[in-house]
Amino acid sequence: MITNDELNHLLDQYTEYCADAGQIDQRLYSQYDVKRGLRDSNGKGVLTGLTEISDVNGFKVENGERTPIEGELFYQGYSIRDLVKGFHGTKRGFEETTFLLLFGELPSKDQLNEFVRVMGELRPLPENFNRDVIMKAPSKNIMNVLERCVLTLYSYDEDPDSVNVRHVLAQSLSLIARFPVIAAYGYQSYRHKFLDSSLVVHRPKPELSTAENILRLLRPDPKFTELEAQVLDICLVLHAEHGGGNNSTFTTHVITTSGTDTYSTVAGSLGSLKGPRHGGANLKVQQMFADLKANISDWENEKELKAYLQKLLNKEAFDHSGLIYGLGHAVYTLSDPRAVILKEYAHRLSEAEGFEKEFALYDRVERIAKDLIMKHRDMKKPVCANVDFYSGLVYTMLRIPMEFFTPLFAIARISGWCAHRIEELVNNGKIIRPAYKYVGMHKEYVPIEERVWEEE
């Protein structure tokens, strides 16, 4: 029997083998003009597909020249600014957005009421699912709970492998409706198991919107204010969709083209969104600000703030990554429309919840950091705050725990994923298979008796 010490020694050795075997000469990427990250040398995404679901613009092109513009985001052709303005105060903007993304047009009043009823009926989990699936194996990461539960729901579907659009739509609506319940129950089980807290299980109410149900399910006392529900609803709208090229939505397209089932597809998209470079970015922003507060004595002292932010860029503070999280975007330059909208709601909520000083700090850091980043990296392209910069602050003011930040992103983005999956199926696209060039050496086979490793 192998001991733990022996196993650890072998793993160290195997790790060295992996590093040696997997190392590629970085110059070869330029030599073969490899579009790393599916982006060209200017950082622009390589065109790999077409979509009518959403449009993301940060530049305009005139006479072949790209000029930065205030960021634009359109859902099925409608400006996000107009949509949010129309949804303001309704608490059902996410339901309207889901209808729009899936069906291409905004619903009438009667259609929306009917759609909300459908989502309310689909929201409850199968009988004993919480007890038998979620509570029996609690996880410290709620994204893993979502993935596991989505794959388990495959077993509750009478025809899970069907890629018939009608059946995929039924699966999609069910998952969209159930995501808040799965995530909330997963969080409550986590608190009970790992934090020794009382187990809180509220049932969702079919007459409540998605935003209202999330607040109800998360809180020991299932009460919330009108403003809290309105702000959370807008957060869900802003995170519901962002083009076919973002990592998790592209994952949706890739997996869909293989012909696999909806549950496997959504689980793969969740795995993508979980990553700190994607859906986990708002956590990094909050953690960065916690470190800032621990190291800054006066939040209003811009000289002190500037010194700390410069340390971040110099890899001398926080996680030593050289990044100021929440600043910069692959597409947007002058502004991220989602961040602009969210900042307005963050300001309004900060006044209602007594977070004025925190909001002022974020505003101050945003303004100072933009100039610092451009100067530090000698950039000509403007830098703007992205949606992650203010979302964590908003969630904190809504008393949403940090463990729930990325799952909340998933609760919103699954509407976009499902719309893209259906669009891919309707258009019957080819399986996505980009090329990788082999740059290793061909070798002659050596019998095992003659093989010699250098360390031996």
Side-chain angles (χ1 to χ4, degrees):
M1 181 176 179
I2 192 166
T3 67
N4 284 335
D5 287 343
E6 290 173 324
L7 179 59
N8 286 326
H9 174 72
L10 285 171
L11 284 173
D12 289 340
Q13 195 173 56
Y14 293 163
T15 301
E16 292 181 14
Y17 296 164
C18 288
D20 291 341
Q23 186 63 51
I24 294 175
D25 186 343
Q26 299 298 292
R27 294 170 296 183
L28 294 176
Y29 288 98
S30 298
Q31 179 180 331
Y32 293 109
D33 191 27
V34 177
K35 303 298 189 291
R36 301 195 76 180
L38 291 181
R39 300 181 189 179
D40 62 22
S41 58
N42 295 318
K44 184 180 179 182
V46 176
L47 185 62
T48 58
L50 304 174
T51 184
E52 292 185 345
I53 295 170
S54 67
D55 189 17
V56 183
N57 295 321
F59 296 90
K60 66 177 180 179
V61 180
E62 293 180 347
N63 300 320
E65 294 291 325
R66 296 172 71 195
T67 304
I69 61 172
E70 298 293 342
E72 299 174 330
L73 175 60
F74 299 87
Y75 290 174
Q76 292 284 9
Y78 294 96
S79 167
I80 191 66
R81 291 184 177 88
D82 293 339
L83 290 172
V84 168
K85 185 178 179 180
F87 297 156
H88 177 71
T90 68
K91 298 177 295 183
R92 302 197 304 181
F94 179 66
E95 281 73 15
E96 280 201 62
T97 297
T98 300
F99 188 101
L100 171 64
L101 293 174
L102 290 172
F103 309 133
E105 283 296 342
L106 289 165
S108 67
K109 186 176 181 179
D110 288 343
Q111 284 177 318
L112 177 61
N113 289 335
E114 183 180 63
F115 188 69
V116 170
R117 286 200 302 273
V118 169
M119 298 300 281
E121 289 297 319
L122 293 174
R123 208 176 295 282
L125 298 176
E127 186 176 0
N128 297 327
F129 191 90
N130 185 25
R131 183 195 68 188
D132 295 342
V133 180
I134 300 176
M135 291 178 61
K136 277 196 174 179
S139 172
K140 293 182 179 180
N141 194 299
I142 313 307
M143 291 295 285
N144 283 21
V145 175
L146 278 168
E147 288 184 70
R148 176 164 48 86
C149 288
V150 165
L151 290 173
T152 304
L153 285 170
Y154 175 99
S155 302
Y156 290 76
D157 191 326
E158 294 182 358
D159 191 11
D161 291 303
S162 172
V163 292
N164 172 274
V165 171
R166 185 182 186 280
H167 196 71
V168 170
L169 175 60
Q171 293 169 330
S172 299
L173 292 173
S174 176
L175 288 172
I176 293 168
R178 286 170 165 174
F179 256 37
V181 185
I182 294 171
Y185 287 174
Y187 173 72
Q188 300 296 3
S189 296
Y190 151 75
R191 281 181 53 81
H192 181 61
K193 168 80 173 179
F194 298 103
L195 304 183
D196 198 27
S197 299
S198 298
L199 182 63
V200 177
V201 180
H202 299 307
R203 288 186 176 88
K205 287 191 172 182
E207 69 271 19
L208 297 182
S209 69
T210 300
E212 291 173 310
N213 267 309
I214 290 169
L215 294 173
R216 169 181 168 77
L217 294 170
L218 279 180
R219 296 179 173 179
D221 182 346
K223 295 180 180 178
F224 50 86
T225 67
E226 288 288 301
L227 179 60
E228 287 176 325
Q230 291 170 16
V231 172
L232 182 55
D233 180 61
I234 294 300
C235 288
L236 295 174
V237 169
L238 295 175
H239 284 88
E241 166 59 9
H242 205 245
N246 69 79
N247 197 278
S248 59
T249 305
F250 186 62
T251 299
T252 302
H253 279 278
V254 171
I255 300 178
T256 295
T257 64
S258 75
T260 195
D261 63 279
T262 297
Y263 304 97
S264 297
T265 302
V266 172
S269 303
L270 282 165
S272 164
L273 190 71
K274 178 186 174 185
R277 290 184 176 186
H278 191 10
N282 53 20
L283 276 174
K284 281 290 189 179
V285 174
Q286 287 301 91
Q287 292 163 356
M288 178 186 74
F289 268 94
D291 187 75
L292 180 152
K293 292 174 182 178
N295 288 279
I296 297 294
S297 59
D298 183 1
W299 294 3
E300 296 181 1
N301 188 323
E302 295 199 4
K303 184 176 180 181
E304 197 174 356
L305 283 173
K306 187 174 181 180
Y308 174 83
L309 293 171
Q310 188 61 57
K311 285 183 179 179
L312 288 177
L313 293 172
N314 293 340
K315 302 182 180 181
E316 298 169 353
F318 185 41
D319 62 357
H320 306 284
S321 66
L323 299 174
I324 299 178
Y325 291 99
L327 274 295
H329 193 272
V331 178
Y332 300 124
T333 51
L334 297 181
S335 65
D336 178 340
R338 303 167 301 169
V340 172
I341 294 168
L342 202 55
K343 184 176 182 179
E344 295 173 2
Y345 280 88
H347 188 203
R348 187 177 307 166
L349 193 60
S350 70
E351 293 177 336
E353 300 291 337
F355 280 80
E356 294 97 334
K357 289 185 178 179
E358 280 80 1
F359 177 81
L361 173 63
Y362 276 70
D363 181 58
R364 205 171 289 120
V365 168
E366 178 191 3
R367 174 170 47 82
I368 296 171
K370 287 178 181 180
D371 293 334
L372 276 182
I373 293 172
M374 290 183 67
K375 183 178 180 181
H376 181 80
R377 298 178 183 167
D378 193 24
M379 296 172 59
K380 294 182 179 180
K381 186 182 84 169
V383 176
C384 67
N386 59 50
V387 70
D388 297 311
F389 191 81
Y390 285 101
S391 61
L393 173 62
V394 171
Y395 298 157
T396 299
M397 290 190 287
L398 290 172
R399 290 179 285 139
I400 292 172
M402 291 184 69
E403 296 92 340
F404 208 79
F405 284 10
T406 309
L408 193 55
F409 196 161
I411 289 168
R413 185 56 61 87
I414 187 177
S415 292
W417 293 339
C418 291
H420 279 274
R421 173 166 169 77
I422 291 171
E423 185 180 60
E424 187 70 57
L425 291 171
V426 167
N427 287 282
N428 195 28
K430 291 184 177 181
I431 185 170
I432 294 175
R433 189 189 182 281
Y436 269 67
K437 182 176 181 60
Y438 178 73
V439 292
M441 300 290 291
H442 294 175
K443 305 169 187 177
E444 293 292 333
Y445 176 80
V446 178
I448 193 167
E449 296 82 2
E450 300 175 20
R451 298 172 200 164
V452 178
W453 285 69
E454 290 184 6
E455 65 267 26
E456 296 176 349

